[in-house]
Amino acid sequence: MIHPIEALIPGAQGKLLSVLTRAGSPLSLRTLADLANVSPAQVSRLLPSLIELGIVEKSEVPPSILLRLVPQNLVSKSLLELLEMKDTLIAALKERTKAIGPPPINLTLFGSIVRGQVTAGSDIDVLVIRPSAVDDENSAWWISLGDWVDEARTLSGNRINLLEVAEEEVRTLMRSNRPPWNSISEEGIMLAGKPLNQI
């Protein structure tokens, strides 16, 4: 998801916490309101409960009030971990590719997940290159790949859009420089197999 905290904590409070977890330094009330795209009045209304819970710390630096997330707070730690969700997901998906058999020549993520733009309703785009020795109707291949897709769906909460191509087709497709092949070539994240430029 683009902002997983906002997805889990809807409304102005989620927006405030999302901004505070991504901020590298304390923010003034006005700056926090602007970045979260909420009114200063909403910030003032929500802050007392966040401060009382120990999630947010307020310090006065006249004429401003500065606000920051308290990283030692257990709730804050959980929120900060959500920011690393993309990397955690990619590592988990990569680990689970080891169970695919026969192993793919290449398995690469591309699209919105690579750009950090995945929302709850987005598909996760995956390129998988089937070895030339594996027939298109090989049941073991499709069952194994289907198991990986099911795990990826469970881990991410998103639908998986699988783009499966044969090894012998890849060179022509990559040279076409047409969508989605141009973005796969430029920004894809390889999970398994050989790099595309070596195929």
Side-chain angles (χ1 to χ4, degrees), residues 96-155:
R96 282 159 175 78
T97 61
K98 296 174 182 175
I100 301 175
I105 295 296
N106 175 282
L107 196 147
T108 293
L109 296 177
F110 67 97
S112 56
I113 186 171
V114 176
R115 297 189 294 271
Q117 298 173 340
V118 175
T119 65
S122 298
D123 289 351
I124 292 180
D125 298 309
V126 182
L127 165 68
V128 59
I129 300 175
R130 173 171 39 87
S132 56
V134 177
D135 185 82
D136 182 42
E137 297 181 3
N138 184 302
S139 59
W141 164 256
W142 285 112
I143 290 170
S144 179
L145 199 56
D147 289 343
W148 184 87
V149 167
D150 290 343
E151 282 198 84
R153 171 79 171 96
T154 300
L155 286 167

Side-chain angles (χ1 to χ4, degrees), residues 70-123:
V70 180
Q72 298 86 357
N73 180 276
L74 291 178
V75 174
S76 298
K77 286 181 179 180
S78 297
L79 295 175
L80 291 166
E81 286 174 3
L82 280 174
L83 293 183
E84 300 174 2
M85 186 174 67
K86 175 186 166 184
D87 293 337
T88 303
L89 173 61
I90 289 172
L93 293 177
K94 187 172 186 176
E95 177 64 26
R96 282 159 175 78
T97 61
K98 296 174 182 175
I100 301 175
I105 295 296
N106 175 282
L107 196 147
T108 293
L109 296 177
F110 67 97
S112 56
I113 186 171
V114 176
R115 297 189 294 271
Q117 298 173 340
V118 175
T119 65
S122 298
D123 289 351

Side-chain angles (χ1 to χ4, degrees), residues 19 28-40 43:
V19 170
S28 69
L29 190 147
R30 170 63 68 177
T31 300
L32 176 57
D34 289 344
L35 291 174
N37 197 28
V38 299
S39 70
V43 177

